[in-house]
Amino acid sequence: MLVLVVALLSGCAIKRPRYDTPDIPLTDAYENPLLRDGEVWEPTPGEAALAYWWRLLDNEDLNRLIDRAIANDPDLRIASQRVMQALARASQAEGGRLPEVSAPARYEYESPDGGAGSRARGEDLVTRETYQAGLRADWRVDLWGELKSLSESADYDLWRAVFDYDERVRQLTSDVTRAFIDYLVLNDRMRVAFDTEKVLGQMLNGMAKRLESGDATLIDVEKQRTAVKGSQADKPAIALERERVRNRIVVLVGAMSDSVKLPIYGLDMLDKPRVKPGIPAALLLQRPDVRAVEAGLLAADADIDVARARILPPLDLTGEIGYGSEFIEEIFMPHTLFTRFIANLSATVFDAGRRKREVDYSRAVYEELLETYVKVLYGASIEVEGALASIEKTEKRLGLQREATKAARSAWTNSQEAYLAGGIDYLTWLDTARTYHRYMDDLYIFNGDNYRSYVDLFASLGGGAPRRAPLPGDGDRPKLELASVLSGKAPPLTITTKWPPSDGWYENKPPRKGGGRLGEDPNEWLVSLSGIHAREGLEATWRDLMNRFPELVDGHALLALQPIPTVAPEGRAATWYKLAVEVFTTKQEARDWCSALRKQQTRCDVIENEQPETAVAGRFPWPDPLRELPAAGKGPDLNVK
């Protein structure tokens, strides 16, 4: 009967063989005239530079801030832990497809023998003891594909967690760059405020002398004093705004206020990248927020199959073998051996439609994510269009403002001479002075807007996020291609894209500087760094340590411990690591070193080299002298103009 029922129900198997990503219509190219000048887009070897776009600004202070943010941002660390949570759930779901084997050991004492009510009136109390030990296997046969669909859904949720991590990297790099630009703009504006105060103050002193000689009136002097005080009042407002921007940067890099030092120069210390015409709209499919929704959509599609499979009767198999006896001394004798096998196929007769409603719910979740996918994809396209328009308009406005500022300066210079010669009155001179310095202030504001429009463009194209492969599984997937959108007057850019350079860097205990292997000397100690870090963040973490603690780091190396592979982009594992700094000969030396880091708000702990977690996946810098850590913007693998 069991075989007959299974044969009849096999026609109801509803596990679909594939999950497709919906084909959302996209325009072939953007409408902005900036990208419609007849040039044809062609991929170049520099396409991966989009992941490191901020280096095109060619500013070492910005590079260091972003390294520090990637190494220490709390939200990025939280995203890493969520990847670990999703990995655990995916492993659980995959393990649920296999039989569960247990080793039960049972002791039973029963009085009266036979259970409650089995003893007759006046009958002696008889007790019974039994002993059992053996092996038991429980397995739910995946007749309808429920467990496979559940496992696939968990795998897609893992991908979504990885893309959420990438999305945080994208937002973090753009947020730090925007805040840095804002800070430099405020530096420029503060300099204009000081220059304005200086010029007006000099004029006030000159008018005071002219008042004494009778060439100026008291009203003119007081008006000039009012202008000086007004210019002085601008400085506290600019200083307050600059402090707010600084605090924003401090939060982004995961530090305390007193540990972040920012420069005093202005925007002229940044290079300005240029955009290559012909950016394809399909590049948006690489954005991590789009891909996160894509993964969630596929997970929801698999959840529909899970809900549908749960309507059908599950088949549970239980097998047990062991020994049982009333006498413990006989428990492992041949005559106490027992076996048990149970096949249970249970169909639901009535559940008030609960399981059917679960299917409806799963379909509604899928439809919601489908609409979200369309919204995010179209929203990303609009962001790119907006950024391109912003680049075009802010550059035009900036050019016009430069001309206006130049004319205002000429008017101010000529008015000074005319006023001293008595050709114009005081109010005319004061108006030209105020106009020039106001235009200078606006010029820096407009220049900052233009820089921010480039940041918006790179961020909207998915810049800063690592490259990932199409999602696994049978079904239609978007074709993901990265474009080179970087050209123009940026200096040659070199980025290390592999760490270490060989494919064998996953090998445990690679060669160490000075010979030997980790764990061979029982007197060695390590300092572990808090959190877990993605592979893409290892160099950033090490550069951050070298930039902030050059004397402490000298003579040590960074170890990547406990490799935790998650998903497989381009055939290689996206891996997270615990990090530690080697090597310390005494525990006290390691404690002192860690204490120095803690004083700078860098969390760490001292560990022994013999603990299991010190299994080494890789070391940085590599002990080869040719592979010393490159400075930001230096390296052998990628050259992009």
Side-chain angles (χ1 to χ4, degrees):
M1 289 184 62
L2 176 64
V3 173
L4 177 62
V5 171
V6 171
L8 291 175
L9 291 176
S10 61
C12 302
I14 41 70
K15 172 68 177 76
R16 289 167 291 165
R18 52 186 284 155
Y19 301 114
D20 296 328
T21 300
D23 185 16
I24 307 300
L26 291 173
T27 182
D28 293 332
Y30 295 105
E31 292 298 321
N32 192 276
L34 183 65
L35 299 181
R36 288 191 281 110
D37 61 354
E39 294 191 31
V40 180
W41 170 81
E42 295 180 357
T44 71
E47 59 186 16
L50 188 59
Y52 303 91
W53 61 268
W54 63 88
R55 296 194 182 185
L56 292 172
L57 300 176
D58 196 30
N59 184 276
E60 188 64 24
D61 289 315
L62 175 60
N63 294 339
R64 291 180 179 183
L65 280 175
I66 291 182
D67 283 341
R68 187 170 181 180
I70 293 175
N72 301 285
D73 176 58
D75 289 333
L76 199 58
R77 294 193 175 191
I78 291 171
S80 295
Q81 295 300 332
R82 287 174 179 166
V83 172
M84 296 301 103
Q85 295 168 20
L87 177 61
R89 292 303 186 196
S91 300
Q92 279 184 326
E94 182 64 26
R97 301 177 62 185
L98 302 175
E100 179 180 335
V101 180
S102 57
R106 179 180 179 186
Y107 166 75
E108 183 176 342
Y109 174 88
E110 187 175 11
S111 177
D113 186 15
S118 63
R119 178 187 176 199
R121 183 180 299 177
E123 187 177 358
D124 292 338
L125 181 65
V126 178
T127 62
R128 182 174 178 233
E129 295 179 286
T130 56
Y131 304 87
Q132 288 185 7
L135 290 176
R136 172 175 173 160
D138 296 277
W139 182 37
R140 170 161 290 187
V141 182
D142 196 15
L143 285 178
W144 324 117
E146 172 194 353
L147 300 180
K148 184 177 181 181
S149 298
L150 196 62
S151 177
E152 290 182 356
S153 176
D155 285 340
Y156 290 132
D157 283 336
L158 172 58
W159 277 87
R160 179 165 58 178
V162 173
F163 290 136
D164 285 340
Y165 174 90
D166 295 345
E167 172 64 8
R168 178 54 194 163
V169 176
R170 182 183 77 95
Q171 293 177 354
L172 181 64
T173 54
S174 61
D175 288 348
V176 172
T177 306
R178 286 191 192 95
F180 188 72
I181 290 172
D182 290 345
Y183 192 86
L184 298 190
V185 169
L186 291 167
N187 283 347
D188 286 330
R189 294 185 62 197
M190 181 63 79
R191 187 168 59 253
V192 171
F194 272 104
D195 290 344
T196 303
E197 180 189 1
K198 180 179 178 181
V199 169
L200 295 178
Q202 290 174 347
M203 189 63 179
L204 177 62
N205 294 333
M207 293 190 68
K209 294 179 179 179
R210 295 180 64 182
L211 177 64
E212 294 177 358
S213 62
D215 292 336
T217 67
L218 182 60
I219 295 177
D220 291 339
V221 173
E222 292 304 319
K223 286 183 177 180
Q224 183 64 22
R225 194 186 311 277
T226 301
V228 172
K229 296 301 180 181
S231 66
Q232 291 176 343
D234 291 337
K235 292 192 296 183
I238 296 174
L240 176 59
E241 183 62 25
R242 187 168 60 176
E243 188 63 24
R244 288 172 177 169
V245 172
R246 182 180 183 278
N247 290 338
R248 192 163 83 234
I249 294 175
V250 169
V251 171
L252 290 171
V253 301
M256 298 295 288
S257 182
D258 59 349
S259 65
V260 176
K261 307 299 181 184
L262 295 177
I264 60 173
Y265 51 74
L267 277 177
D268 57 343
M269 295 301 293
L270 299 183
D271 281 349
K272 187 171 290 186
R274 297 177 63 186
V275 180
K276 180 180 180 180
I279 301 175
L283 181 63
L284 294 177
L285 296 172
Q286 179 67 20
R287 271 182 50 149
D289 56 340
V290 173
R291 304 210 61 197
V293 181
E294 175 193 344
L297 188 64
L298 294 175
D301 206 1
D303 286 338
I304 295 176
D305 281 353
V306 173
R308 294 173 64 192
R310 287 175 177 171
I311 295 177
L312 301 175
L315 175 60
D316 294 309
L317 304 180
T318 300
E320 188 172 5
I321 184 171
Y323 294 90
S325 174
E326 295 183 1
F327 308 100
I328 192 170
E329 62 271 13
E330 297 181 358
I331 189 171
F332 291 114
M333 291 186 178
H335 68 278
T336 64
L337 179 67
F338 73 91
T339 58
R340 182 183 298 116
F341 176 78
I342 302 173
N344 180 29
L345 187 67
S346 175
T348 301
V349 178
F350 177 76
D351 68 351
R354 290 195 302 272
R355 288 174 175 79
K356 181 63 170 62
R357 297 289 81 77
E358 189 65 28
V359 176
D360 295 340
Y361 173 79
S362 298
R363 290 185 185 278
V365 171
Y366 175 83
E367 293 297 331
E368 176 193 352
L369 286 171
L370 176 58
E371 298 302 329
T372 303
Y373 185 63
V374 176
K375 174 185 175 181
V376 172
L377 194 54
Y378 285 177
S381 178
I382 293 173
E383 285 182 21
V384 177
E385 290 280 11
L388 292 170
S390 179
I391 290 175
E392 181 188 15
K393 304 306 181 186
T394 56
E395 284 185 349
K396 288 182 179 179
R397 184 175 65 172
L398 186 60
L400 294 173
Q401 186 66 23
R402 286 196 179 101
E403 294 178 6
T405 304
K406 182 178 179 181
R409 178 177 178 82
S410 177
W412 174 57
T413 302
N414 293 332
S415 68
Q416 280 185 304
E417 297 176 358
Y419 176 71
L420 294 176
I424 61 174
D425 59 14
Y426 163 73
L427 291 179
T428 302
W429 174 87
L430 181 60
D431 182 63
T432 58
R434 286 176 170 175
T435 300
Y436 167 63
H437 288 94
R438 185 175 70 250
Y439 277 27
M440 279 291 295
D441 188 67
D442 289 342
L443 179 65
Y444 289 122
I445 293 175
F446 295 167
N447 196 20
D449 291 341
N450 186 238
Y451 271 101
R452 280 188 289 271
S453 64
Y454 282 98
V455 176
D456 292 340
L457 176 63
F458 291 128
S460 63
L461 291 172
R467 186 174 177 177
R468 305 289 184 200
L471 291 167
D474 296 328
D476 294 333
R477 300 289 184 270
K479 294 181 180 180
L480 305 176
E481 294 178 349
L482 281 177
S484 175
V485 298
L486 313 176
S487 65
K489 60 180 183 180
L493 170 69
T494 52
I495 301 167
T496 301
T497 56
K498 293 182 180 179
W499 178 85
S502 70
D503 290 334
W505 78 280
Y506 290 101
E507 296 176 1
N508 189 30
K509 299 180 180 178
R512 297 176 56 213
K513 191 174 182 179
R517 294 179 181 273
L518 186 68
E520 292 181 354
D521 188 346
N523 296 320
E524 292 180 354
W525 295 82
L526 306 176
V527 174
S528 67
L529 305 178
S530 62
I532 58 173
H533 301 261
R535 179 176 176 180
E536 294 80 10
L538 295 177
E539 289 192 15
T541 300
W542 187 238
R543 282 196 300 266
D544 177 53
L545 290 175
M546 290 205 309
N547 289 328
R548 290 197 291 148
F549 316 110
E551 296 180 358
L552 286 175
V553 170
D554 185 35
H556 299 286
L558 185 70
L559 301 180
L561 312 177
Q562 281 188 303
I564 308 170
T566 54
V567 297
E570 300 183 333
R572 302 191 66 174
T575 308
W576 270 254
Y577 305 89
K578 290 187 176 181
L579 302 181
V581 177
E582 67 161 354
V583 62
F584 302 92
T585 57
T586 66
K587 187 174 184 179
Q588 187 59 45
E589 180 187 1
R591 283 178 172 174
D592 293 342
W593 199 90
C594 180
S595 177
L597 260 62
R598 285 179 173 273
K599 290 180 180 178
Q600 298 296 324
Q601 294 87 46
T602 299
R603 292 179 291 141
C604 57
D605 292 293
V606 176
I607 61 175
E608 295 184 67
N609 61 357
E610 295 178 337
Q611 295 179 0
E613 61 265 26
T614 60
V616 181
R619 174 173 283 101
F620 197 71
W622 202 249
D624 185 343
L626 298 178
R627 283 292 303 169
E628 291 299 324
L629 179 71
K634 308 274 184 197
D637 294 321
L638 183 63
N639 292 285
V640 181
K641 289 189 178 180

